[in-house]
């Protein structure tokens, strides 16, 4: 028995819709109450245009996915990607864009803080001028933020200054999460993107070759409609990682820099523990040194888990225990090779400090490379 109508079996009989002119990419994490409202507003401001909206959800724990499914069932302009075991605004945006075919791409938040009424104007600018990207700016005349406390404003301004300096851009709001661009502007940057953290616009601008021409339009950053911000203390750290990657990242992997910085902190922890045990409590040197080593390795493991490998963070008792043990094992072999190479070089009559540094460097590279395989697996 055939339950399917013949026309659904024959591809020629079904007209195929053209891709939209404009795709709006919206990253979501726990935004269930904002989605229908956003789509309603897009529908109102974009009437007469061919558009679609692509939500990219990182497995929200509220009803966002359900809301997305329901909307997509009734409105063909609504699509979504559902990512499991992933987090990250930037990577969500990148993958959302990669799932589209339209000529123009907008990126905006789900929480209605970005003013959808700008979209038409942004699109017009892209179509009649030759600029590649139009950015919604809070810091142009007529732009602003509705309700932010002094400290958040100050932090935002500082981060903006840093971005302008480091990435040598004259944009008033390079941290904006609200912008529209031509597809080829994205294509010119996509293979160089860091895709870490929050600041996808900054990433795109810093990655594109040749550089993109940008124009800005002012808007007022509204208050969130429902739900809460996902900005947390890690955002500053991720921002730092992004800036490092965009500057020195070509020469040295940022993760290695972080890993080494954490290692440096480990040396401090080691020496403090050693001094306390041996000098203050008269614990014999060998025992003190052994305890200090374990302390430093443990601290390094947790610091790397929180910071260097934040995106692959091990969570829950068993994962952490397994990670910690494998990290001890990796570092022990690292220590043996450190001492081995140093002793060998010293034997070959290299100066003591060169031999020492060579040992440390080999140990660091070993620990970094091997722990990235065994401890923080992909
Ligand atoms: N898929 C996914 N994964 N989405 C996320 C994640 C994530 O890990 N984290 C946040 N989002 C979504 C939120 O659901 C929201 O739609 C959007 O990204 C912005 O998150 P908020 O938590 O509301 O950020 P904000 O309001 O503090 O900052 C935003 O606006 C600034 C000004 O334009 C961001 O867009 C900033 O990048 C931007 O500078
Ligand atoms: Mn927001």
């Amino acid at each position: 028995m055939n339950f399917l109508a013949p026309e659904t079996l024959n591809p020629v009989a079904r007209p195929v819709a053209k891709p939209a002119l404009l795709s709006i990419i919206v990253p979501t994490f726990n935004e269930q109450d904002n989605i229908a409202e956003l789509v309603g507003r897009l529908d109102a401001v974009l009437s007469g245009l061919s558009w679609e909206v692509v939500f990219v959800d990182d497995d929200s724990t509220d009803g966002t996915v359900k809301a997305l499914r329901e909307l997509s069932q009734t409105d063909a302009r609504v699509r979504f990607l559902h990512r499991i075991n992933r987090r990250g605004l930037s990577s969500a945006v990148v993958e959302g864009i990669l799932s589209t075919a339209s000529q123009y791409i907008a990126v905006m938040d789900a929480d209605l803080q970005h003013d959808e009424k700008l979209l038409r104007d942004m699109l017009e600018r892209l179509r009649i001028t030759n600029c590649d990207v139009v950015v919604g700016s809070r810091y142009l005349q007529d732009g602003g933020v509705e309700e932010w406390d002094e400290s958040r404003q100050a932090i935002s301004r500082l981060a903006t200054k840093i971005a302008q300096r480091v990435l040598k851009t004259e944009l008033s709001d390079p941290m904006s999460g609200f912008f529209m661009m031509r597809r080829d502007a994205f294509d010119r940057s996509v293979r160089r993107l860091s895709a870490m953290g929050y600041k996808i616009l900054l990433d795109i601008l810093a990655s594109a070759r040749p550089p993109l021409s940008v124009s800005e339009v002012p808007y007022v950053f509204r208050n969130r409609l429902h739900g809460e911000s996902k900005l947390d203390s890690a955002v500053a750290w991720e921002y730092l990682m992004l800036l490092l990657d965009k500057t020195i990242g070509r020469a040295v992997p940022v993760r290695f820099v972080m890993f080494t910085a954490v290692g440096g902190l480990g040396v401090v922890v080691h020496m403090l523990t050693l001094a306390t045990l041996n000098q203050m409590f008269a614990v014999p040197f060998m025992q003190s040194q052994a305890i200090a080593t374990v302390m430093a390795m443990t601290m390094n493991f947790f610091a790397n888990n929180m910071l260097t490998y934040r995106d692959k963070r091990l969570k829950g008792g068993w994962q952490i225990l397994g990670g910690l043990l494998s990290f001890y094992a990796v570092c022990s072999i690292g220590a043996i090779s450190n001492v081995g190479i140093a002793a060998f070089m010293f034997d070959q009559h290299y100066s003591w400090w060169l031999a020492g540094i060579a040992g440390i460097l080999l140990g660091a590279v070993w620990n970094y490379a091997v722990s990235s395989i065994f401890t923080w697996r992909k």
Side-chain angles (χ1 to χ4, degrees):
M1 274 254 257
N2 184 2
F3 292 100
L4 292 173
E7 63 270 26
T8 57
L9 294 173
N10 177 1
V12 188
R14 284 172 69 83
V16 180
K18 271 208 210 146
L21 178 70
L22 171 66
S23 296
I24 301 153
I25 312 299
V26 183
T28 57
F29 189 71
N30 293 348
E31 304 284 1
Q32 70 170 337
D33 298 325
N34 294 320
I35 287 169
E37 175 68 26
L38 176 64
V39 173
R41 292 195 196 182
L42 291 177
D43 182 49
V45 296
L46 297 175
S47 65
L49 284 171
S50 130
W51 60 275
E52 66 174 352
V53 56
V54 179
F55 291 92
V56 186
D57 187 79
D58 283 348
D59 209 16
S60 292
T61 49
D62 67 355
T64 303
V65 176
K66 190 165 166 275
L68 290 174
R69 285 199 190 122
E70 281 167 9
L71 262 177
S72 317
Q73 286 280 333
T74 54
D75 190 336
R77 298 169 304 183
V78 179
R79 296 201 288 124
F80 68 96
L81 281 179
H82 181 178
R83 308 195 303 173
I84 310 272
N85 278 333
R86 304 276 303 281
R87 276 303 299 275
L89 202 166
S90 284
S91 65
V93 167
V94 171
E95 285 163 38
I97 295 173
L98 288 172
S99 81
T100 64
S102 47
Q103 210 177 333
Y104 299 98
I105 298 150
V107 176
M108 73 191 293
D109 294 346
D111 54 8
L112 304 154
Q113 294 194 274
H114 294 155
D115 188 350
E116 67 285 343
K117 288 193 286 301
L118 247 66
L119 289 168
R120 245 177 206 282
D121 192 32
M122 288 170 145
L123 185 62
E124 271 318 293
R125 280 205 196 205
L126 287 179
R127 292 174 81 177
I128 59 180
T129 70
N130 53 9
C131 75
D132 301 305
V133 188
V134 183
V135 177
S137 166
R138 296 162 288 178
Y139 301 128
L140 283 183
Q141 181 128 39
D142 296 333
V145 281
E146 220 167 54
E147 202 175 83
W148 264 12
D149 52 49
E150 264 311 308
S151 70
R152 178 143 187 209
Q153 290 198 29
I155 293 170
S156 175
R157 261 189 238 112
L158 176 69
T160 301
K161 286 250 157 59
I162 298 175
Q164 288 165 336
R165 278 284 176 80
V166 176
L167 302 175
K168 300 179 188 72
T169 161
E170 277 159 18
L171 280 189
S172 69
D173 194 359
M175 321 278 286
S176 178
F178 183 31
F179 56 97
M180 193 185 290
M181 64 192 158
R182 298 174 193 286
R183 169 163 306 276
D184 61 85
F186 177 70
D187 291 342
R188 268 150 69 184
S189 69
V190 63
R191 283 166 207 287
R192 288 194 199 82
L193 291 176
S194 312
M196 33 172 113
Y198 254 54
K199 303 302 170 192
I200 181 62
L201 172 66
L202 211 56
D203 199 357
I204 291 174
L205 295 180
S207 305
R209 298 285 179 283
L212 300 169
S213 73
V214 188
S215 81
E216 292 187 287
V217 282
Y219 81 101
V220 176
F221 190 70
R222 295 182 297 225
N223 295 333
R224 220 172 210 287
L225 189 64
H226 296 289
E228 49 196 48
S229 171
K230 280 86 208 173
L231 264 185
D232 57 16
S233 53
V235 165
W237 179 259
E238 284 168 353
Y239 183 50
L240 182 70
M241 296 262 267
L242 176 65
L243 290 182
L244 279 175
D245 196 45
K246 290 275 90 99
T247 45
I248 59 165
R250 226 150 262 257
V252 224
V254 175
R255 261 199 232 273
F256 181 65
V257 175
M258 294 293 165
F259 192 86
T260 315
V262 169
L265 215 65
V267 175
V268 176
V269 170
H270 184 117
M271 293 313 282
L272 284 177
T273 315
L274 183 60
T276 313
L277 292 176
N278 185 244
Q279 298 296 304
M280 280 173 65
F281 296 102
V283 178
F285 180 79
M286 283 307 277
Q287 272 103 306
S288 305
Q289 172 75 358
I291 296 172
T293 306
V294 174
M295 279 289 281
M297 284 195 298
T298 309
M299 189 291 288
N300 273 15
F301 169 79
F302 284 105
N304 281 318
N305 197 43
M306 285 285 294
L307 301 171
T308 318
Y309 287 101
R310 192 171 183 85
D311 53 334
K312 300 178 189 174
R313 197 167 34 198
L314 305 173
K315 291 179 208 142
W318 290 113
Q319 268 193 24
I320 292 198
L321 185 67
L324 189 60
L325 292 178
S326 77
F327 191 68
Y328 285 157
V330 170
C331 292
S332 308
I333 301 173
I336 293 169
S337 30
N338 169 344
V339 175
I341 187 83
F344 171 77
M345 284 184 63
F346 191 72
D347 245 25
Q348 302 289 310
H349 307 290
Y350 285 97
S351 57
W352 61 269
W353 57 268
L354 195 62
I357 288 178
I360 292 174
L361 207 63
L362 182 74
V365 172
W366 164 275
N367 287 352
Y368 171 69
V370 182
S371 72
S372 78
I373 298 170
F374 289 107
T375 309
W376 290 281
R377 268 168 286 200
K378 286 244 159 89

